[in-house]
Amino acid sequence: MQEFWDLQEKILMEFGNAEPERPVLRVKNITQTSLLLEWDPLVLHTATLRSLSIYKNDTKVTQHVQSEQNVAKLSGLEVDHEFEFYIVIKTTAGSYESNRVVARTHRMENLTGIRVAFGMFEEPEPAITELKALVEKMGATWTDEVNSETTHLLAQLPGGPGYDQAVRYSIPIVKPDWLVQCNKNKKIQPALPYYIVSVHNNH
């Protein structure tokens, strides 16, 4: 009998007392019209995740977030605008709301939020070296690989290692002239006119 009650106590300690923890949210990589929301891996203990929703200024964002993801890129935001974000997780043990974070998108003249990576070029050199120097001159940054923090992929041709990754993260794949024009006009330019169009990129 004692063994039975010890087992009950153990089950309660392990499964009954630990509620899911509130998600912890951060904002990263703010640009003029986009930002990255990132949250710590969810600690649900014994509960199961039913859904995860993102809220912007108290309105639910339609973006679908997969349960194993812990980042979401929000694009198409208003320039130089303040937003408040939080996430809500619904679990088998109830709903939990994260902390609220406030972020302001950059002004058009502020190019520091641009983070570019490089795709396929007909003749990579000296083009890429020159573009890297231009990026640094503008106060922006470049990286060798495409990740969720990349804002634009510069390329002359579709394909290459970073290309599929950029498509997956919905990162604009643009011709190098986009960067040149941003620098020339001293403000961020719309990416659309500079898009590289290809078969598997439906932009």
Side-chain angles (χ1 to χ4, degrees):
M1 191 55 117
Q2 187 58 46
E3 265 182 36
F4 172 77
W5 286 114
D6 286 350
L7 179 64
Q8 298 305 306
E9 185 65 24
K10 188 165 175 246
I11 290 170
L12 178 69
M13 289 303 288
E14 199 168 323
F15 296 104
N17 291 347
E19 276 192 53
E21 293 173 22
R22 278 183 65 187
V24 178
L25 185 65
R26 292 176 292 283
V27 171
K28 295 174 77 177
N29 288 92
I30 300 171
T31 70
Q32 288 74 7
T33 57
S34 71
L35 50 78
L36 197 68
L37 291 178
E38 181 183 71
W39 50 95
D40 290 347
L42 301 176
V43 181
L44 303 176
H45 294 295
T46 52
T48 310
L49 183 66
R50 287 195 165 140
S51 68
L52 187 153
S53 306
I54 299 169
Y55 285 81
K56 176 181 80 179
N57 295 349
D58 286 323
T59 305
K60 190 171 167 180
V61 175
T62 50
Q63 197 157 330
H64 178 67
V65 182
Q66 287 177 338
S67 53
E68 67 280 0
Q69 270 183 308
N70 70 325
V71 292
K73 186 165 187 161
L74 301 185
S75 307
L77 302 172
E78 291 165 70
V79 175
D80 194 17
H81 201 85
E82 194 169 275
F83 298 96
E84 184 183 60
F85 298 98
Y86 61 94
I87 61 173
V88 173
I89 56 168
K90 287 191 174 148
T91 74
T92 47
S95 292
Y96 298 84
E97 187 180 303
S98 75
N99 54 310
R100 292 177 175 235
V101 289
V102 173
R104 188 174 196 94
T105 46
H106 286 326
R107 294 194 309 278
M108 282 312 225
E109 310 75 72
N110 183 342
L111 299 173
T112 57
I114 295 174
R115 280 177 76 101
V116 302
F118 300 94
M120 297 251 288
F121 278 71
E122 283 157 27
E123 285 185 32
E125 290 307 333
I128 291 179
T129 304
E130 286 168 6
L131 288 166
K132 284 178 178 175
L134 184 58
V135 168
E136 285 164 12
K137 181 180 151 235
M138 289 160 56
T141 48
W142 56 268
T143 52
D144 283 326
E145 56 186 49
V146 176
N147 57 31
S148 56
E149 298 182 12
T150 307
T151 60
H152 297 80
L153 180 71
L154 299 186
Q156 289 173 336
L157 306 164
Y163 185 84
D164 295 335
Q165 193 80 329
V167 172
R168 209 179 96 210
Y169 284 121
S170 305
I171 294 165
I173 300 159
V174 292
K175 296 174 187 136
D177 194 40
W178 171 81
L179 191 72
V180 174
Q181 293 304 323
C182 288
N183 179 55
K184 200 164 129 188
N185 293 288
K186 297 290 175 265
K187 63 179 192 179
I188 196 160
Q189 301 297 300
L192 202 56
Y194 300 95
Y195 268 1
I196 286 185
V197 183
S198 90
V199 207
H200 26 254
N201 189 351
N202 52 19
H203 285 306

